[in-house]
């Protein structure tokens, strides 16, 4: 239980810090030459970022965080892992206030405190991971859901601008949620079992769909709206499936405490949604940051990602 909790929190620290490191790399790589106009992805900017240790370090933290997330999903309930991943936004906000000079107001520091308090309550009330391995119908259901997320994303991309980012972010969150559930439905990593388990393909399709939708959301709309939609999509559904289909439980008599902690962690993360891209949208992030010589630079480009 303790190892699973530490891995869940460690993955949140890795993901949250990686987002800021990638934002720093984007600022340093942005020469202001106007490339990639129209709000799309600037391939030259990405290539320059990939040559920097900040960006490579961020990718390394992403990989480490994903590994710890996999371990956590094998040891603790899904709802605890989901809340910890949402809490990575609190890590991003704190690290961004240091590296990117993004100013956190009193309300935002309060939101960080709320996230920490929620996680504390949740950790105190969490029981052991459920031993249910899921039915064949649930395994096929995750694969079908992953395909539907991919198809729905194509539709969401055609929505009016105001709703597009939130819809794409929600779709990305649902994709990440499918991955979270599907990992629990893979009992072992034997080659034959992996190849014949629909959940294996749900991980691949759901993860690819989620990354594609989130990247599109950040390119075409508000980072805040996209991140808020993603947090909602990746937390509530998997938590309910873990409880009702996979046997995740709380400590005896502490179900109410667990629910309160979960809601506090998620709501606090939503209040910090503007930091979903390493400090994007903050009052100070429009002018704060660092370059090679320590001088301040402009706002980060949307190059960060959300690991599975």
């Amino acid at each position: 239980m303790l190892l699973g909790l530490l891995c869940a929190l460690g993955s949140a620290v890795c993901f949250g810090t990686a987002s800021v490191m990638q934002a720093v790399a984007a600022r340093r790589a942005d020469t202001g030459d106007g490339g990639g106009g129209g709000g799309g992805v600037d391939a030259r900017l990405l290539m320059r970022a990939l040559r920097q240790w900040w960006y490579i370090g961020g990718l390394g933290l992403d990989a480490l965080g994903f590994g710890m997330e996999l371990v956590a999903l094998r040891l603790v309930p899904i709802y605890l892992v989901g809340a910890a991943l949402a809490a990575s936004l609190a890590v991003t906000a704190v690290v961004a206030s240091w590296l990117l000079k993004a100013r956190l107001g009193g309300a935002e520091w309060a939101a960080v405190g709320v996230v920490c308090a929620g996680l504390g309550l949740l950790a105190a009330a969490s029981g052991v991971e459920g031993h249910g391995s899921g039915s064949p119908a649930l395994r096929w259901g995750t694969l079908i859901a992953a395909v539907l997320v991919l198809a729905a994303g194509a539709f969401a991309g055609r929505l009016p601008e105001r709703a597009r980012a939130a819809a794409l972010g929600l779709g990305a969150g649902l994709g990440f949620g499918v991955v979270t559930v599907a990992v629990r439905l893979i009992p072992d990593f034997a080659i034959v079992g992996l190849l014949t388990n629909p959940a294996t393909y749900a991980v691949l399709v759901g993860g690819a769909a989620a990354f594609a939708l989130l990247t599109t959301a950040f390119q075409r709309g508000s980072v805040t709206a996209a991140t808020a939609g993603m947090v909602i999509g990746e937390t509530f559904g998997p938590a309910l499936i873990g409880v009702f289909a996979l046997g995740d439980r709380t400590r005896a008599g502490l179900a109410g405490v667990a629910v309160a902690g979960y809601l506090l962690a998620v709501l606090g993360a939503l209040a910090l949604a503007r930091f979903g891209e390493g400090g994007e949208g903050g009052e100070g992030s429009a002018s704060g940051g660092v370059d090679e010589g320590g001088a301040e630079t402009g706002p980060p480009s949307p190059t960060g990602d959300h690991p599975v």
Side-chain angles (χ1 to χ4, degrees):
M1 176 68 181
L2 179 59
L3 177 60
L5 175 60
L6 291 176
C7 285
L9 294 177
S11 67
V13 172
C14 288
F15 292 155
T17 305
S19 291
V20 182
M21 292 180 68
Q22 289 160 353
V24 170
R27 289 184 175 196
R28 292 183 170 188
D30 189 359
T31 60
D33 59 7
V41 174
D42 183 351
R44 290 172 295 174
L45 173 63
L46 180 58
M47 292 305 296
R48 290 194 295 268
L50 284 170
R51 291 196 294 266
Q52 299 188 51
W53 78 263
W54 283 97
Y55 199 88
I56 300 302
L59 292 178
L61 283 177
D62 284 338
L64 179 60
F66 180 52
M68 288 193 287
E69 180 187 350
L70 290 180
V71 174
L73 285 169
R74 315 294 282 188
L75 298 174
V76 296
I78 288 177
Y79 60 77
L80 180 55
V81 178
L85 293 181
S88 67
L89 288 174
V91 177
T92 298
V94 173
V95 177
S97 71
W98 171 46
L99 283 181
L100 298 180
K101 305 299 186 292
R103 298 192 188 100
L104 272 68
E108 287 157 329
W109 280 115
V112 171
V114 167
V115 169
C116 294
L119 288 176
L121 290 175
L122 197 57
S126 293
V128 297
E129 175 201 25
H131 296 296
S133 59
S135 65
L138 182 57
R139 295 190 185 97
W140 281 106
T142 57
L143 179 56
I144 293 171
V147 174
L148 289 176
V149 166
L150 188 60
F155 171 77
R158 297 185 177 92
L159 291 175
E161 183 175 354
R162 179 170 296 183
R164 185 188 306 147
L168 288 169
L170 178 62
L174 292 173
F176 289 128
V178 167
V179 171
T180 299
V181 173
V183 167
R184 279 281 299 274
L185 300 178
I186 301 174
D188 58 61
F189 297 101
I191 297 299
V192 174
L194 286 174
L195 294 177
T196 58
N197 190 341
T200 302
Y201 303 99
V203 170
L204 299 176
V205 176
F211 274 114
L213 294 181
L214 191 60
T215 299
T216 305
F218 286 150
Q219 290 174 356
R220 298 185 179 179
S222 164
V223 167
T224 301
T227 304
M230 180 188 66
V231 169
I232 292 172
E234 73 178 344
T235 52
F236 291 104
L240 292 174
I241 291 174
V243 170
F244 292 107
L246 299 176
D248 290 347
R249 293 292 181 266
T250 64
R251 296 182 187 274
L254 294 181
V257 175
V259 171
Y262 187 84
L263 290 176
L264 284 174
V266 174
L267 292 175
L270 288 173
L272 296 166
R274 74 180 179 88
F275 289 94
E277 273 304 301
E280 170 71 28
E283 177 184 349
S285 65
S287 58
V290 292
D291 67 9
E292 296 286 359
E296 294 187 355
T297 64
S301 298
T303 60
D305 53 46
H306 184 290
V308 177

